[in-house]
Structures are given as structure tokens and as C-alpha cells.
């Protein structure tokens, strides 16, 4: 399984349930990217209408949404889509995937759970083997990949050769490196907490340079919540900074955490 490549996603949201509005939102935007991903699952519940949820899981609507993005995007820019197995169950999964393929997308990522299953383990990787992919479009497996062994088990069960790490890479920033080392039979040291604190400072500084500095605070807090999965020290740091609202004390706390580990 040599010859790995790594792609990072930059998310820009166009929130709508109307295909016409989607085309309008894409006008003039599609040419600004080298890759566009249609993330079909809906994570909000606008006005509490369950019927609105089901809209996106009817295969015909997935076709319409993906095709609208494909038609609005220059041919040299890949358009990919991300779906789940279904809403309540995976009974519509074949319909979902076949319509996604027919829309002209270049790749399809499948989060191997239904909307109702949310993020509860397990991910049902084996369902991906049932995909009828006559177009030869790349299928990317997603869900519950936290370790190198998870990925190779997913490969065996799903039949896929491409994977989305998602939360696993947020919880463990060196996950991709660990997977590559595992594949090549190499031994690499896991990323230390000191290295992670350096990343946190860099993350804060980068966001502070791009936006109003106050908006750099919450993303760090959110990341620390995820980091607790692999780094127990993240819980203590989060408890220390969770009530900070001002950028200067936040940056000082992050630098202090890094210096205390390095000392």
C-alpha cells in the first residue's frame, strides 16, 4: 500500500435546501478552489422539521445537488461528495450511491453510519463492499479510524484503498505519519505533548493573524477537547483556559503550557 497521498479539506459552507439557491451560491465561487466537496448530511434541524432531514437522503435529490455543483464547476476542478449510509437505516444506501455516481462527481466519501447513529461506534465498514461502482469512481471510507490498525482493518473489511481520517487526525495530529510508518514497517515515536503545545500556539497565532484575535480563542478550546482522546494533559490545560475570553491571556497560557513541558 505504498504511494500514499494526503489531501486536506478546507470547508466553505453554502447552507440551503434549494438547488436553485445552491447554483446561485456557487456562481463565481467554484473557480476559487482546486477541489469542491459536497457534504450531503445535514447536521442542523432547521425549525425542527424532520421532513427537511429526509430531503437530502433521497437519492434523486443527492443527484440534483451533486450535479448542480458539478455543472457550476470548471471541468478541471474535481467535485467530490460525502454521504452517510442513510437516515434511519441503510435501506436507501444503494440509491444514494448510484445517484451520487450518476451526477458526475470524481470521488465519493462514505461515513459508514446512518444519521441516526450519529458518531456512535461502530462504523459499519462492511456495508461499503456492497457499493455497485460501475463508473470506477474512487470510494473513500470514513468513520472510527483512530489508529493505524483501525485503518488497515477498515481496508480489509470495506475493500477501500482511500480513507478519510477526520476526527482521528484532530485527536491525534500525527495519525497520518503513524499510518505511513506502520505501512512501511518503520518505528516512529508518537508526537509528544510538547510538540502538541507548539502546534496549539501556532494554531492560535495563525487564526489571530487572519481574523479578529478574539475569534482565535474558541477553536483552540475545541481542539483541546478532541486532544484529550490521545493526550490526558489536554484536559488539565482545557480546565485552565476554558473561561478565558481575552486573546492575550489565552496566548500566554498556551506559551506557558509549552514552556512548562520544555523545562
Amino acid at each position: 500500500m505504498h504511494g500514499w497521498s494526503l489531501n486536506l479539506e478546507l470547508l466553505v459552507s453554502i447552507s440551503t435546501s434549494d438547488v436553485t439557491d445552491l447554483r446561485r451560491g456557487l456562481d463565481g465561487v467554484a473557480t476559487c478552489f482546486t477541489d469542491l466537496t459536497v457534504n450531503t448530511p445535514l447536521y442542523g434541524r432547521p425549525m425542527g422539521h424532520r421532513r427537511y432531514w429526509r430531503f437530502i437522503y433521497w437519492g434523486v435529490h443527492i443527484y440534483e445537488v451533486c450535479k448542480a455543483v458539478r455543472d457550476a464547476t470548471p471541468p478541471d476542478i474535481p467535485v467530490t461528495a460525502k454521504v452517510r449510509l442513510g437516515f434511519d437505516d441503510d435501506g436507501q444506501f444503494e440509491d444514494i450511491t448510484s445517484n451520487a455516481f450518476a451526477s458526475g462527481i470524481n470521488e465519493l466519501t462514505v461515513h459508514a453510519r446512518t444519521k441516526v447513529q450519529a458518531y456512535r461506534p461502530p462504523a459499519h465498514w462492511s456495508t461499503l463492499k456492497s457499493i455497485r461502482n460501475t463508473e470506477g469512481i474512487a470510494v473513500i471510507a470514513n468513520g472510527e479510524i483512530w489508529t493505524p490498525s483501525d485503518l488497515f482493518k477498515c481496508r480489509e473489511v470495506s475493500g477501500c484503498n482511500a480513507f478519510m481520517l477526520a476526527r482521528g487526525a484532530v485527536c491525534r495530529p500525527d495519525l497520518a505519519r503513524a499510518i505511513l510508518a506502520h505501512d512501511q514497517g518503520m518505528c516512529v515515536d508518537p508526537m509528544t505533548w510538547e510538540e502538541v503545545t507548539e502546534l496549539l500556539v501556532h494554531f492560535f497565532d495563525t487564526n489571530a493573524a487572519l481574523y479578529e484575535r478574539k475569534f482565535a480563542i474558541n477553536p483552540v478550546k475545541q481542539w483541546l477537547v478532541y486532544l484529550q482522546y490521545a493526550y490526558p494533559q489536554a484536559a488539565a490545560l482545557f480546565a485552565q483556559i476554558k473561561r478565558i475570553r481575552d486573546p492575550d491571556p489565552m496566548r500566554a497560557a498556551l506559551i506557558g503550557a509549552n514552556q512548562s513541558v520544555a523545562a
Side-chain angles (χ1 to χ4, degrees):
M1 195 174 171
H2 300 287
W4 289 85
S5 64
L6 178 65
N7 297 315
L8 302 178
E9 276 196 352
L10 173 65
L11 302 181
V12 176
S13 177
I14 300 174
S15 300
T16 180
S17 61
D18 184 85
V19 173
T20 302
D21 288 343
L22 177 64
R23 291 193 183 101
R24 188 179 302 116
L26 285 166
D27 185 30
V29 175
T31 57
C32 299
F33 301 95
T34 57
D35 193 329
L36 283 173
T37 297
V38 182
N39 194 350
T40 59
L42 302 177
Y43 292 97
R45 191 184 287 269
M47 300 176 290
H49 291 324
R50 183 179 175 84
R51 184 170 55 189
Y52 181 83
W53 278 96
R54 288 191 178 276
F55 164 89
I56 204 65
Y57 282 104
W58 295 340
V60 64
H61 290 298
I62 287 180
Y63 170 83
E64 291 175 353
V65 169
C66 292
K67 191 171 189 310
V69 177
R70 177 69 278 174
D71 290 348
T73 307
D76 60 319
I77 297 179
V79 172
T80 65
K82 184 170 184 282
V83 300
R84 284 182 178 246
L85 301 181
F87 186 84
D88 300 294
D89 54 49
D90 61 5
Q92 291 184 312
F93 185 54
E94 182 179 348
D95 188 42
I96 290 169
T97 55
S98 62
N99 275 277
F101 292 145
S103 69
I105 60 172
N106 301 93
E107 295 177 346
L108 180 67
T109 298
V110 180
H111 184 159
R113 283 180 275 230
T114 66
K115 177 64 196 73
V116 170
Q117 288 166 343
Y119 293 96
R120 293 189 298 274
H124 303 280
W125 299 326
S126 60
T127 309
L128 276 63
K129 266 196 172 174
S130 69
I131 295 176
R132 297 180 182 177
N133 184 8
T134 57
E135 291 82 359
I137 293 170
V139 176
I140 301 168
N142 171 234
E144 294 302 307
I145 299 176
W146 303 98
T147 66
S149 59
D150 288 338
L151 185 139
F152 291 100
K153 180 65 174 178
C154 178
R155 181 181 65 171
E156 175 188 345
V157 172
S158 69
C160 293
N161 285 309
F163 310 90
M164 177 179 283
L165 302 183
R167 290 178 300 152
V170 179
C171 295
R172 183 179 172 183
D174 63 342
L175 179 56
R177 182 177 70 183
I179 290 169
L180 179 62
H182 186 283
D183 182 54
Q184 296 179 345
M186 298 170 57
C187 232
V188 294
D189 293 328
M191 183 174 283
T192 65
W193 176 240
E194 180 181 355
E195 292 173 308
V196 172
T197 57
E198 290 172 359
L199 285 179
L200 286 167
V201 174
H202 177 71
F203 183 53
F204 177 86
D205 287 343
T206 301
N207 282 329
L210 294 172
Y211 314 105
E212 286 187 56
R213 293 184 75 237
K214 64 181 181 181
F215 294 127
I217 296 174
N218 281 344
V220 172
K221 294 179 181 179
Q222 291 166 350
W223 194 9
L224 279 169
V225 171
Y226 280 107
L227 285 169
Q228 293 175 43
Y229 171 85
Y231 298 92
Q233 304 95 320
L237 181 55
F238 178 76
Q240 177 187 342
I241 59 93
K242 66 181 179 180
R243 291 185 174 83
I244 294 178
R245 299 286 186 271
D246 185 84
D248 292 329
M250 172 61 84
R251 189 175 192 280
L254 295 176
I255 292 177
N258 174 254
Q259 291 175 341
S260 66
V261 178

